[in-house]
Amino acid sequence: MTQPNPDVAIAQAHTLEPITEIALRAEIPPEALVTFGPYKAKVDITRLRGRREAGQLVLVTGMSPTPAGEGKSTVLIGLADALTRRGLNAAAALREPSQGPVMGIKGGATGGGYAQIVPMEDINLHFTGDFHAVAAATNTLAALVDNHVQQGNELRIDARRIVWQRCLDVNDRSLRGVITGLGGTAHGTPRETGFTITAASEIMAVLCLAADLEDLRLRLGRLTVAFTFDGAPVTADDLGATGALAALMKEAINPNLVQTLGGTPAYVHGGPFANIAHGCSSLIATRVALEHADLVLTEAGFGSDLGAEKFFDIKARHGGLDVAGVVVVATIRSLKYHGGDLADGVRNLARHVDNIRQFGATPLVALNLFTTDTPAERSFLRDWARDHGVALAECEVWARGGTGAEQLAEVLLDNLSAGSRPLYDPRHGVEASIATLATQIYHAEKVEYSPQALRDLAVLREHGWDRLPVCISKTQYSFSDDPAALGAPTGHTLHVRELIPRTGAGFIVALTGAVMTMPGLPARPAAEGIDIDAAGKISGLF
Amino acid sequence: MTQPNPDVAIAQAHTLEPITEIALRAEIPPEALVTFGPYKAKVDITRLRGRREAGQLVLVTGMSPTPAGEGKSTVLIGLADALTRRGLNAAAALREPSQGPVMGIKGGATGGGYAQIVPMEDINLHFTGDFHAVAAATNTLAALVDNHVQQGNELRIDARRIVWQRCLDVNDRSLRGVITGLGGTAHGTPRETGFTITAASEIMAVLCLAADLEDLRLRLGRLTVAFTFDGAPVTADDLGATGALAALMKEAINPNLVQTLGGTPAYVHGGPFANIAHGCSSLIATRVALEHADLVLTEAGFGSDLGAEKFFDIKARHGGLDVAGVVVVATIRSLKYHGGDLADGVRNLARHVDNIRQFGATPLVALNLFTTDTPAERSFLRDWARDHGVALAECEVWARGGTGAEQLAEVLLDNLSAGSRPLYDPRHGVEASIATLATQIYHAEKVEYSPQALRDLAVLREHGWDRLPVCISKTQYSFSDDPAALGAPTGHTLHVRELIPRTGAGFIVALTGAVMTMPGLPARPAAEGIDIDAAGKISGLF
């Protein structure tokens, strides 16, 4: 298990450029660069000047994935390097890996093969501490809530209605449901609660949607942590916690800068999960990238139904971003997974392509090639694209990096357009928003609300929160809320289990199906294969 | 609450030297310096060469403190700056602050007034992420244990005897006693457990006692996490977790370098609590400091009965360190607190002085002056010291920094000696070690073991762990295990509640009295006073 695996071995064999050189190429002024060793840096947003907002933004999404993933980040990185090779001033804006899954089934999230961001070991392990800062703020707030109840409960918090959960960046199923406060009156009030993974904390969403430190502070203050015995919401502001939380996020708010193997500047910042959160890297990083590069590639987690939809309806709406092009990553493996044959499975891809068009954006399919793909399979997809008027390019980024995405870069540059838009108007209410997404994006026939969700709806209305955009938490494996319904299901029912107001982030989370906000570890965790030698060289990271 | 307070205001008004300049003065080779922005760095221990071990080591400890603390770190920093002002190549080696108490009652732990280490905001909040790394490793190991049980339990772990606890760097009394694994078979095995604060995690102790990355990895592998149904210990090695844990600690193992306000290099690394853990900064940092400076000042938490004793018996024994001098910090406030009058209270100080002599080291009392101290009080202590043959110097470090410790520096340099030693021989068994400490250091009459402690003793003997050094977890406010027994109590009983084998750290923790391994927050948490403005300037940190 400890033999070198290709990804970490390729990354370690690569000679990195100093991050100061990358920053020069990225046009980040030296006084705004805060280095973390020779190859990582943060960009101090309070020291950026002379901003321009001229770059074009390209979103990379995918068809519904197989459990192994379709290489979305890998394609993004290879494509960015192909653009850099053409002499363009390109940048990548990606999410930070979550350490829990690195130790679990998934390995790292820094691309693969010859399309990686580096130093991959550092980025996958702690990086510059942003996730830890989110967890520290989340858990400090939780301690302040319980402490308020313990110290006399001046605000009259109903301990049964403390909604703020703790978090950890660990895949730990045992923390999903816990009772805290045991041991007697000196040790708190016993109550049932749970931990989410850090990527699912609302503070992660706040970090990723904030415009600057002031906006971050405002949003942190609006976090709803509990309800009183009278049903009134209690916020971080009410607890006097806002300043401390913002201080804990002081460095985390600054985007991280690293490089791809092809030397493209990569802003890697923020990492909300895409199935259980909004799945987009930070707005601040996207803006910094657009202000300093001509073409910015960013990703949104999983398919058009999850990350891309939230990119348009939450992040781009909020941040006023225009998307000039959307790359939909597909693999022959995934096409087969979604149908008995390719002709059947391609209906999944077709729906993602159609979905992208609903946002006024131009889709481009990137077929991420594997050595097992046959000429017949590849020609099937080329024919399908031609017959359906879909732009398509093959790429071979894992094995060839930027040189494997030259055709993709060319097709992308030929297909840039303007005028993307959100799908629904949240002012029509959260039920209308959910209905629009369910029918137009998921192709469901109807939406069913659980009794809990109906009670939640009443609470949203009572507090005027029902006109916020919606962030649907749903399985990534299907357009429906049933992970086994592959392909392009229709006529199904979307089950809304729970509606959670995220008053800090500024959206309503709708939990559907049985989506977990805390993953578990598999029978053979990836952690078992990770090692480090006496000189500090890490092995076993994927 | 958000007005500038002196400590953070003084620190912010100071012009820091670039850390690269401090490193030059500290004789750290540039290739070993990993900068974290302009004013913080880690020293990559794998890149240090041409080592020497010529520096003399001075330990700073204190008399039994009042709840407000007696300014031990402040005196250390002021003294270091006084030595630097004399042209000596001095360095400070300090513990990292724990973020939980920063948000609680205590504020930061970076000195105060004109005797601070800077940048104090960064050092008090996240710093370079070492505590987060310890928590990540601790909680990853916890997830792997529960996951092993969940996935078939090949090792036959008795879920009732999982001894590995999770941790967080938060003061959160509600996490002292928890039940995890609720919700049905997909969500783990319900069991009662708890969180400690990160400073109390065994991995913090491992970090602080490891010689290098290889030694760290070995110690992590020996961590006992549970017992089987047959009573056999289960280690991190048994779970295949060791490599992943060591990889998570890759950067944390490197000492952090910052500066004092007087420009003295300060190695700030590791932070085990002194009442509930061994309370000394890392051995690696102490060694790096000794290899590069002529005089190194380091601290051990609380009084001679806690930090200093563990410094001699655990850290110095293990690391082969000789202590050339011991500064015992006293205040008039604390002398009064420990007795009806000064003549009564000074008995507490006298005992700390005697204790230090038992370790073969030369004590020197530093009277840390406050503006409220009267000439009569100061002359009382001077007379007492003269009459008892105790070296004493007054200092005024909060208000005057290094210039306020010139006399102290002179007295210290006149009193350096060699030949310090541990107090007991652990090969006589843990009961003998505890008895020696109880009678000779605490002046107890006898030791009583709870039924649980007696059972623990049997387990220690069964596994051959009873010849490890002992780390007694005890209140800092008294020589006894009763925080209300001030002064110099005698004839009392030391109550050993529990004995916990720390097979990774290599010692036995003896819990006495009612010491908590997870603090709580006060009615008015310090967090309420902390804030940050739009430009990133922090206020309200003490």
Side-chain angles (χ1 to χ4, degrees), chain B residues 96-113:
Chain B
E96 300 181 51
S98 171
Q99 209 166 264
V102 168
M103 296 293 161
I105 202 164
K106 182 161 159 282
T110 47

Side-chain angles (χ1 to χ4, degrees), chain B residues 28 304-305 387 516:
Chain B
I28 297 294
S304 70
D305 51 327
D387 295 347
M516 299 277 183

Side-chain angles (χ1 to χ4, degrees), chain A residues 180-230:
Chain A
T180 56
L182 297 175
T185 53
H187 312 292
T189 305
R191 63 184 185 85
E192 197 166 349
T193 179
F195 285 68
T196 69
I197 192 158
T198 301
S201 165
E202 185 172 359
I203 294 184
M204 179 62 83
V206 166
L207 171 66
C208 290
L209 289 171
D212 53 28
L213 193 49
E214 203 172 351
D215 184 40
L216 180 91
R217 195 185 174 291
L218 274 173
R219 288 163 183 275
L220 291 171
R222 290 198 290 252
L223 293 167
T224 300
V225 297
F227 292 86
T228 67
F229 287 107
D230 311 313

Side-chain angles (χ1 to χ4, degrees), chain A residues 319-502:
Chain A
L321 302 173
D322 188 52
V323 177
V326 177
V327 177
V328 182
V329 176
T331 60
I332 297 293
R333 174 178 62 190
S334 184
L335 290 167
K336 288 176 175 169
Y337 180 76
H338 281 284
D341 55 23
L342 284 182
D344 194 17
V346 81
R347 296 186 307 132
N348 180 277
L349 175 60
R351 186 177 291 175
H352 286 288
V353 166
D354 288 346
N355 280 351
I356 295 304
R357 290 188 175 128
Q358 294 191 64
F359 298 103
T362 310
L364 152 63
V365 172
L367 178 64
N368 187 18
L369 293 179
F370 282 64
T371 51
T372 47
D373 301 340
T374 67
E377 289 166 343
R378 290 165 61 177
S379 106
F380 167 87
L381 195 67
R382 278 197 300 268
D383 293 348
W384 171 86
R386 192 196 54 228
D387 295 349
H388 292 78
V390 176
L392 176 138
E394 295 181 337
C395 62
E396 207 178 339
V397 286
W398 195 98
R400 296 175 55 218
T403 57
E406 281 171 4
Q407 189 212 347
L408 177 59
E410 186 144 347
V411 177
L412 172 71
L413 293 171
D414 287 344
N415 281 276
L416 296 176
S417 64
S420 73
R421 58 180 181 266
L423 187 67
Y424 59 85
D425 183 345
R427 289 171 301 180
H428 298 143
V430 67
E431 280 177 287
S433 302
I434 292 174
T436 302
L437 293 174
T439 52
Q440 290 185 234
I441 300 291
Y442 308 157
H443 291 233
E445 195 177 300
K446 63 179 195 290
V447 181
E448 260 178 33
Y449 289 80
S450 73
Q452 177 63 50
L454 291 173
R455 284 193 296 273
D456 294 339
L457 208 47
V459 172
L460 296 182
R461 289 205 192 95
E462 185 187 341
H463 302 294
W465 294 330
D466 63 321
R467 272 134 222 277
L468 292 170
V470 67
C471 176
I472 298 187
S473 173
K474 184 181 75 64
T475 176
Q476 66 266 36
Y477 297 119
S478 170
F479 281 104
S480 78
D481 60 17
D482 170 10
L486 302 180
T490 53
H492 51 93
T493 299
L494 183 75
H495 300 89
V496 177
R497 285 194 297 142
E498 213 176 324
L499 293 164
I500 305 168
R502 296 293 191 208

